[in-house]
């Protein structure tokens, strides 16, 4: 599925996760390219056993997600984004600084100003 990045909705950091390691989980909002609302899914069998479009209600109301857990919170961010109530983290391309040329992309909940500097 060809998509376009919209925003980072949330980030979860956990210790003692799979295989006894720490991990970072980034929840991103994407949209299908060209403004489509659905798109055929091509499964790369070497990576996935199956893939399908699902009703968000299946995930949001899953019996496997404990109320008040981190995933319950992450799903609440998805619901709010889908309703247009939460934009997620914005991003700004800002000068690299430290005497270096170029820019870096910074993600935050700050709004960008015309000068390209983040404003809280």
């Amino acid at each position: 599925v060809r998509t376009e990045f919209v925003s980072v909705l949330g980030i979860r950091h956990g210790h003692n996760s799979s295989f006894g390691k720490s991990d970072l989980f980034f929840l991103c909002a994407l949209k299908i390219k060209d403004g489509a609302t659905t798109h055929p899914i091509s499964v790369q069998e070497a990576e996935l056993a199956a893939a399908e479009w699902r009703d968000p209600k299946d995930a949001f109301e899953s019996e496997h997600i404990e109320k008040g857990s981190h995933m319950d919170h992450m799903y609440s961010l998805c619901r709010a984004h889908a309703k247009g109530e939460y934009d997620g983290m914005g991003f700004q391309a800002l000068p690299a600084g430290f005497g270096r040329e170029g820019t870096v992309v910074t993600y935050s909940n700050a709004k960008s100003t015309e000068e390209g500097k983040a404003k809280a």
Side-chain angles (χ1 to χ4, degrees):
V1 176
R2 300 278 183 215
T3 61
E4 295 177 17
F5 174 81
V6 176
S7 67
V8 174
L9 298 180
I11 303 169
R12 181 199 47 99
H13 175 239
H15 293 291
N16 240 355
S17 194
S18 299
F19 310 105
K21 304 293 182 185
S22 296
D23 72 345
L24 288 171
F25 176 87
F26 290 81
L27 179 63
C28 297
L30 306 174
K31 64 180 179 180
I32 298 174
K33 279 193 174 192
D34 304 324
T37 56
T38 188
H39 187 280
I41 298 174
S42 299
V43 176
Q44 291 181 319
E45 293 177 8
E47 295 183 21
L48 300 170
E52 64 184 353
W53 292 110
R54 309 254 334 251
D55 187 326
K57 187 176 180 179
D58 292 345
F60 297 157
E61 297 178 12
S62 171
E63 64 191 40
H64 303 290
I65 304 300
E66 296 176 35
K67 295 294 179 204
S69 69
H70 73 279
M71 283 310 298
D72 184 46
H73 175 72
M74 293 296 230
Y75 282 160
S76 73
L77 298 176
C78 291
R79 280 191 298 272
H81 180 74
K83 293 178 183 177
E85 299 169 354
Y86 176 61
D87 291 333
M89 295 176 161
F91 62 94
Q92 300 87 30
L94 300 168
F98 300 104
R100 296 178 296 156
E101 295 291 321
T103 58
V104 296
V105 177
T106 302
Y107 296 89
S108 69
N109 285 329
K111 305 289 182 200
S112 60
T113 64
E114 289 183 31
E115 295 83 34
K117 296 182 179 178
K119 180 176 88 177

